Amino acid sequence: MAPRSVAPKPAKPRAWQRMLSGRRLDLLDPSPFDVEIEDIAHGLARIARWNGQTTGHHIFSVAQHSVLVADIAGRLEPDLAPRWHLAVLLHDAPEYVIGDMISPFKGVIGGDYKAVEARLMAAIHIRFGLPPEAPAEIVALTKRADKVSAFLEATQLAGFGLEEASAIFGAPVGVFGGERGIPPVLVPEDADKAKEAFLARFAMLEARS
């Protein structure tokens, strides 16, 4: 009797990405040891917010958005501790690996995307001396600052009217004016400038943490 042929096992899909630093980051089981701030800054500076549907000569990058959200959080909570300010700056850091998906598409994908994102965020936090999950009050502050940023980006860069943006993101009532200053005018920067600004803010906050 001829021996039975055994079908070869299918190769396991590759779940890691090689970074410019030389690190190989596993998306399914990310290690803090494979996380480098240079890789994060480089990637975020080249990822477009709003799927690139913004005005200007350059994309409005996730790196520039992250610095803006950190600025807004500082306006909302002037006494915010540097380590939590750092957590706000890094709130979209997993996107250097998985990209920036618009909120409607995240809702379609559902839980799998959020699980991968959460594992990456935990590894990033641990790498930079933060707890795997930020406290609830920091999460709430980040979400509030993120919505204010989205309102500013939507109305200044993405073609939204004030009424439409207010209905979707909420009008930033009380966020600007008086001691909190006037709303910033958003000008999309080239990737190198966005990367430098992100790294400079990171270095300042890490030194103070």
Side-chain angles (χ1 to χ4, degrees):
M1 180 181 294
R4 293 179 58 189
S5 61
V6 179
K9 292 183 179 180
K12 187 177 180 181
R14 178 171 67 88
W16 54 265
Q17 179 177 345
R18 183 180 296 280
M19 302 297 169
L20 288 180
S21 65
R23 299 288 189 183
R24 292 202 316 184
L25 184 66
D26 190 322
L27 275 70
L28 301 180
D29 186 22
S31 168
F33 295 108
D34 291 326
V35 174
E36 300 290 350
I37 193 60
E38 281 278 346
D39 292 331
I40 293 174
H42 186 87
L44 296 186
R46 287 159 174 77
I47 297 173
R49 291 273 292 169
W50 307 93
N51 279 344
Q53 297 298 311
T54 51
T55 58
H57 294 295
H58 305 286
I59 64 168
F60 191 78
S61 69
V62 176
Q64 194 171 354
H65 162 79
S66 298
V67 174
L68 175 59
V69 172
D71 285 341
I72 294 168
R75 291 174 185 259
L76 295 172
E77 293 290 343
D79 297 326
L80 185 65
R83 71 192 309 248
W84 301 130
H85 213 142
L86 179 59
V88 175
L89 179 70
L90 294 170
H91 77 282
D92 277 340
E95 293 179 5
Y96 88 108
V97 181
I98 56 179
D100 180 29
M101 294 187 182
I102 59 174
S103 296
F105 194 43
K106 287 182 181 179
V108 172
I109 294 176
D112 289 343
Y113 176 91
K114 291 185 179 297
V116 172
E117 185 178 44
R119 286 194 292 268
L120 286 166
M121 182 62 84
I124 291 165
H125 272 203
I126 293 169
R127 172 65 176 84
F128 300 118
L130 298 168
E133 295 184 14
E137 60 271 23
I138 301 303
V139 173
L141 172 64
T142 303
K143 286 183 177 179
R144 186 181 175 196
D146 200 24
K147 283 191 173 184
V148 174
S149 177
F151 177 90
L152 296 175
E153 294 168 32
T155 54
Q156 293 188 32
L157 302 173
F160 284 65
L162 293 174
E163 186 174 337
E164 182 183 21
S166 296
I168 297 173
F169 308 109
V173 177
V175 179
F176 302 103
E179 294 182 356
R180 289 179 172 173
I182 61 175
V185 176
L186 305 184
V187 179
E189 299 174 338
D190 68 60
D192 288 340
K193 285 186 178 179
K195 177 180 177 179
E196 289 171 8
F198 183 92
L199 287 172
R201 183 64 59 88
F202 173 86
M204 180 188 72
L205 293 172
E206 187 180 47
R208 293 178 179 177
S209 298

